[in-house]
Amino acid sequence: MNRSWLIGTVVLITAASALILPQLAALEPALHLQDGVVETLSGGGVVLESSNLVDMLEKLPLTLTIDRAGWKGNVLSLDLKVTGNDPEPQELYQNMARVISFAFQETVNVDQLLLRIVAEDKWLDSRRLLLAGDIRRNEWSLRLQDALETAPSRPLPESVKIGLRISESELWKKQFIYP
């Protein structure tokens, strides 16, 4: 009798599971993965992927040329190229701010932005680093981004450099800040 009771219980649990599990699946949350697009509860935002990276970056209103771009593991790497006509530092800061805005305000999955401003010397066929930033979503703030965008053509405030992890090369300091 004991053995038949055990077999009956197992059959009953199996049948109940077959009926209950499909009902639970219908109650899944509002996050869906469909054709590589994620819907979020927080509203707008693009999911950046390797397949749409070029299309998304092409839409950025930059005055500098995008030299290199990469996407790996929620990290966006971007090099902006300065060629000739000695731009003012303020223009470079504004380009950096636009890229930061794109990465953290227009996308939902960029956790880190590795941004570099490089100068290209066509005569020597070389590239030299001017500015670099290691900006992270969890440390980014709109206040820091606005301070960068409205920074004058002189040295950045230390709070902005620290907050956005921006480093300046010696070439940057010699050519643009302390000529």
Side-chain angles (χ1 to χ4, degrees), residues 35-66:
D35 295 330
V37 176
V38 176
E39 293 179 15
T40 63
L41 298 174
S42 63
V46 174
V47 176
L48 197 60
E49 298 175 331
S50 295
S51 61
N52 67 356
L53 178 64
V54 173
D55 294 332
M56 298 308 300
L57 293 177
E58 181 180 66
K59 297 176 186 176
L60 288 177
L62 302 174
T63 59
L64 300 177
T65 306
I66 296 175

Side-chain angles (χ1 to χ4, degrees), residues 55-97:
D55 294 332
M56 298 308 300
L57 293 177
E58 181 180 66
K59 297 176 186 176
L60 288 177
L62 302 174
T63 59
L64 300 177
T65 306
I66 296 175
D67 190 38
R68 292 183 184 170
W71 174 250
K72 185 176 181 181
N74 293 4
V75 177
L76 175 60
S77 303
L78 200 61
D79 287 2
L80 300 179
K81 181 172 55 173
V82 176
T83 54
N85 298 340
D86 294 329
E88 287 292 317
Q90 187 175 26
E91 178 186 353
L92 304 181
Y93 298 152
Q94 289 170 348
N95 277 268
M96 291 176 76

Side-chain angles (χ1 to χ4, degrees), residues 108-119:
V108 294
N109 63 330
V110 175
D111 293 331
Q112 183 178 11
L113 172 63
L114 301 175
L115 180 60
R116 299 186 322 168
I117 306 289
V118 294

Side-chain angles (χ1 to χ4, degrees), residues 3-33:
R3 185 175 186 169
S4 63
W5 181 81
L6 181 61
I7 292 173
T9 303
V10 170
V11 169
L12 183 62
I13 290 173
T14 303
S17 296
L19 294 173
I20 292 173
L21 287 177
Q23 298 299 322
L24 289 174
L27 298 175
E28 73 179 303
L31 295 174
H32 298 282
L33 182 61

